Amino acid sequence: MNLLITVTEWLAQPQQWTGPAGIPARFLEHVGYSGLALLIAAAIAVPIGLLTGHTGRGGFLAASVANVARALPTIGVLMLVVLAVGIGLAPVMVALVALAVPPILVNTHEGVRGVDPQLRDAAQGMGMRGHEVLFRLELPVALPLILLGLRTAAIQVVSTATIAAYVGIGGLGRFIVDGQARRQFEMVAGGSLLVVLLAVLVAVLFYLLRRLLVAPGLRQRTPAGR
């Protein structure tokens, strides 16, 4: 109860909401790093997943690479890249992209491969070519799983982007790292709470995207809570 009161008091301080080190500025930095990492990961993983899922080739290799990437400790990847290229945004992006690629890649591949073969045969019987089958049939049917992979990756990235503070970059992780250094535990708890709230907002955003983009008949294919 005392911790809740101290966190509330910390959040209520006017100086926490102004300036380059205030909550709004750190929030935007965190969203920026997370969004950029998710965009890069999606640009890598979605095309590969669509290709391997559609052709049926390379799926095992893609899944194996994704599983290896999943096993990599994010903070370890960050430190290795820092040693290689120095402190900056690049190490953070490498670590976060490596974290985000596996769920997007696997879900995209599985979503396309899981399309009913009879639907493919019907589409080809209507005269659709390979790319038309992919974009007009397989992609819409696989969209629930693709969005699930993107949502999983986004929540993981938002939750892990606090590592940016360890290499001198901003974001909500600054409250956690600086609070630990100053032994101001209300700052640590406040920063952690803000990260949790941002993750919840991301989950809500993807729920709304699912409602907007996925046809009603396909929503039951992957439950929203998964």
Side-chain angles (χ1 to χ4, degrees):
M1 188 66 181
N2 290 336
L3 179 61
L4 180 60
I5 294 173
T6 55
V7 170
T8 303
E9 292 175 347
W10 180 78
L11 290 171
Q13 295 173 2
Q15 62 267 31
Q16 304 301 342
W17 299 91
T18 58
I23 291 173
R26 295 302 189 196
F27 182 88
L28 291 176
E29 290 172 347
H30 200 98
V31 170
Y33 303 146
S34 302
L36 179 59
L38 186 65
L39 182 63
I40 295 172
I44 295 170
V46 171
I48 295 175
L50 291 175
L51 180 63
T52 58
H54 176 68
T55 63
R57 300 172 183 172
F60 177 77
L61 177 60
S64 299
V65 171
N67 288 329
V68 169
R70 267 181 185 159
L72 294 175
T74 304
I75 192 70
V77 173
L78 175 68
M79 293 308 171
L80 283 175
V81 181
V82 166
L83 291 175
V85 303
I87 291 176
L89 184 59
V92 177
M93 286 297 106
V94 170
L96 294 180
V97 169
L99 177 69
V101 163
I104 302 174
L105 175 57
V106 171
N107 277 44
T108 303
H109 172 82
E110 292 298 329
V112 175
R113 290 304 298 165
V115 175
D116 191 336
Q118 292 183 349
L119 292 177
R120 290 196 186 93
D121 292 341
Q124 291 168 351
M126 294 170 60
M128 288 189 188
R129 297 183 178 181
H131 68 280
E132 292 177 318
V133 173
L134 173 60
F135 291 108
R136 296 178 62 182
L137 170 66
E138 293 173 335
L139 179 57
V141 174
L143 190 57
L145 273 176
I146 295 173
L147 286 175
L148 177 61
L150 288 168
R151 186 191 71 179
T152 302
I155 292 175
Q156 290 177 343
V157 166
V158 162
S159 302
T160 311
T162 52
I163 61 172
Y166 287 99
V167 292
I169 309 297
L172 295 174
R174 284 254 55 101
F175 296 123
I176 299 173
V177 173
D178 293 346
Q180 289 175 333
R182 301 172 188 172
R183 301 187 64 82
Q184 295 180 1
F185 298 113
E186 68 277 9
M187 182 184 291
V188 176
S192 301
L193 177 61
L194 291 170
V195 173
V196 170
L197 291 176
L198 180 56
V200 171
L201 287 175
V202 169
V204 172
L205 174 62
F206 273 92
Y207 171 79
L208 295 175
L209 283 174
R210 177 188 171 87
R211 299 285 298 181
L212 178 65
L213 299 177
V214 178
L218 295 174
R219 289 176 193 161
Q220 300 303 318
R221 190 169 182 238
T222 307
R226 282 185 60 185

